[in-house]
Amino acid sequence: MKNVIIIGATSGIGRAVAEIYIRQGHRVGITGRRSVLLDEIAAGAQAGKVFTKSFDVSDASASRSLEELVESMGGVDICLYSSGYGHTNTDLEPGLELGQIDVNAKGFVRCAVWLFNYWAGNGLRGHLAVISSVASILPLGVCPAYSATKKFEAFYLETLRQLAVIRKADISLTAVKPGFVDTDFIHGRHFPMTIRKEKAAAMIVRAIERRKKTAVIDRRWAALGLLMRLLPSPLWTFSGRFFRPYKDMF
């Protein structure tokens, strides 16, 4: 039995992953802004197995809230950072760009830094995973902040992987890169190769169990991602003309 924390567990992939860990019998900490939804998850679980903590990762106090949750659980072995959101923003409305940076980048760093120092500083084994995106593979002009921050998350884990070697820390790091998943994020719209959130969650749990460095969800998106990496940069930039009809797709 492990102590697992899901940051951003009120809905979507985060909630589906939390429910798997709960069914497996682990002690699970769940966070999010909507305390009612956190209590709903806890109510359906065995007493003493689920710990809740409501906070916003974009607040400066988020790391302290995370620390309090870890203290209440008696430690943490695995943490999945699932908080995040995205918008298309072809008009580059500043509030939309900065809001995504606050959650996807700043919020992630607040939590990642505290967890890394907690494990490394106490000589503990830990595992940090983050929900990045296939949008991190190549920049998407229709959603600049989203694709840039998802790239940031994955790249930040790479730096922490080397830092773990420098500090002789036993910390595993996994960047999860899903394609389209049937969450509220895309509800009511039809996108190619959409994955059920339950399937995506099961694949994420397996990737964490196997301590994979990167997990593209699923094989179809992994194949597409490989093709995306092979595209010359000028060709990808030119392909922007094909995105014009979809500039408001999210």
Side-chain angles (χ1 to χ4, degrees):
M1 181 180 68
K2 296 183 181 296
N3 285 2
V4 182
I5 289 178
I6 310 298
I7 299 174
T10 54
S11 64
I13 296 174
R15 180 163 182 162
V17 170
E19 289 171 344
I20 290 175
Y21 280 120
I22 291 169
R23 288 196 300 270
Q24 290 180 347
H26 299 290
R27 302 171 81 243
V28 181
I30 52 176
T31 86
R33 293 179 300 165
R34 295 171 287 181
S35 58
V36 172
L37 294 179
L38 296 176
D39 292 340
E40 178 182 286
I41 298 170
Q46 182 182 342
K49 287 290 189 179
V50 176
F51 301 75
T52 66
K53 186 70 175 179
S54 179
F55 64 88
D56 188 335
V57 296
S58 64
D59 289 341
S61 61
S63 58
R64 176 56 188 162
S65 296
L66 176 58
E67 181 179 6
E68 290 171 353
L69 176 59
V70 171
E71 289 174 350
S72 71
M73 296 177 66
V76 58
D77 303 300
I78 298 169
C79 182
L80 171 67
Y81 188 89
S82 185
S83 290
Y85 78 102
H87 286 280
T88 51
N89 193 15
T90 52
D91 293 329
L92 286 182
E93 198 282 308
L96 287 178
E97 296 295 279
L98 294 172
Q100 292 169 85
I101 291 170
D102 283 343
V103 174
N104 301 350
K106 289 184 177 180
F108 168 62
V109 169
R110 283 190 185 97
C111 297
V113 164
W114 188 88
L115 286 160
F116 190 97
N117 285 330
Y118 167 77
W119 287 319
N122 292 290
L124 300 172
R125 188 182 198 191
H127 192 149
L128 173 63
V130 62
I131 304 293
S132 178
S133 170
V134 292
S136 69
I137 297 172
L138 283 175
L140 294 175
V142 294
C143 46
Y146 180 74
S147 58
T149 53
K150 290 302 173 180
K151 177 68 173 180
F152 173 85
E153 289 174 337
F155 201 80
Y156 197 81
L157 284 194
E158 290 291 337
T159 68
L160 293 185
R161 187 169 289 114
Q162 187 181 64
L163 183 58
V165 174
I166 293 170
R167 292 179 60 175
K168 298 181 180 179
D170 189 5
I171 300 173
S172 298
L173 301 136
T174 300
V176 180
K177 300 181 180 182
F180 293 123
V181 181
D182 64 343
T183 64
D184 293 342
F185 185 57
I186 65 168
H187 182 69
R189 285 157 289 188
H190 300 286
F191 294 103
M193 299 192 296
T194 299
I195 309 162
R196 292 184 301 106
K197 62 176 177 288
E198 294 81 9
K199 177 182 178 181
M203 294 179 70
I204 291 167
V205 171
R206 285 198 298 272
I208 292 173
E209 288 174 351
R210 297 169 183 173
R211 297 186 175 270
K212 296 187 68 173
K213 294 179 179 179
T214 302
V216 180
I217 311 296
D218 56 5
R219 291 180 180 176
R220 297 169 299 173
W221 284 103
L224 181 59
L226 178 60
L227 292 175
M228 291 168 68
R229 289 186 183 91
L230 294 175
L231 280 177
S233 180
L235 181 59
W236 180 250
T237 300
F238 178 79
S239 72
R241 65 177 53 196
F242 300 107
F243 284 94
R244 288 172 186 167
Y246 308 102
K247 66 185 183 71
D248 299 315
M249 61 183 174
F250 295 135

